[in-house]
Amino acid sequence: MIPRVLEELGFGGASRGVRIQGCWAAALPPDVVAHAEPGNLRGDTLEVMVDSPGWGQQIQLRAPELLAALEEVLGEDAPHAFFTRVGRGDR
C-alpha cells in the first residue's frame, strides 16, 4: 500500500526504496542479510550499509549474484549497482 501511495504522490524513487527494503531479507542469502542492509537509492545505485570493510568487499565481489537475486523479486525496480558504506542503523 505504501509504495502505491508514494507513486501516486510523485515519489516513485521512494517507492522503489520501500520495495527494496521490504524484500531485502527474503531475496538475499542469510549471511549477507546478517551483515548488510539497504540504504539510500540514488538513481539505479543502492547504497548498502555494512558492518565492516570486509563485508563491503564481499558485497562488491558478490554484486552480480546479489543484484540478480533482487531483480528476480523486484523486476525493473531492482537496483543496477551497489555503493557500500561501513555503518549500520541498528548498531
Side-chain angles (χ1 to χ4, degrees):
M1 177 180 204
I2 292 173
R4 183 176 47 107
V5 171
L6 290 172
E7 192 71 41
E8 289 173 3
L9 293 172
F11 297 106
S15 173
R16 284 179 68 200
V18 169
R19 291 195 63 216
I20 292 168
Q21 293 273 345
C23 79
W24 184 261
L28 300 179
D31 63 329
V32 171
V33 173
H35 297 279
E37 62 187 29
N40 295 322
L41 184 64
R42 297 176 184 164
D44 288 328
T45 300
L46 178 65
E47 179 182 47
V48 178
M49 307 303 289
V50 296
D51 58 13
S52 71
W55 270 100
Q57 187 175 25
Q58 281 292 315
I59 297 299
Q60 292 301 331
L61 291 171
R62 295 173 66 180
E65 163 201 351
L66 302 175
L67 290 167
L70 289 170
E71 184 176 13
E72 189 172 311
V73 175
L74 295 168
E76 66 184 33
D77 281 344
H80 297 155
F82 293 135
F83 170 76
T84 57
R85 184 178 304 245
V86 176
R88 293 183 62 185
D90 62 347
R91 296 184 184 190

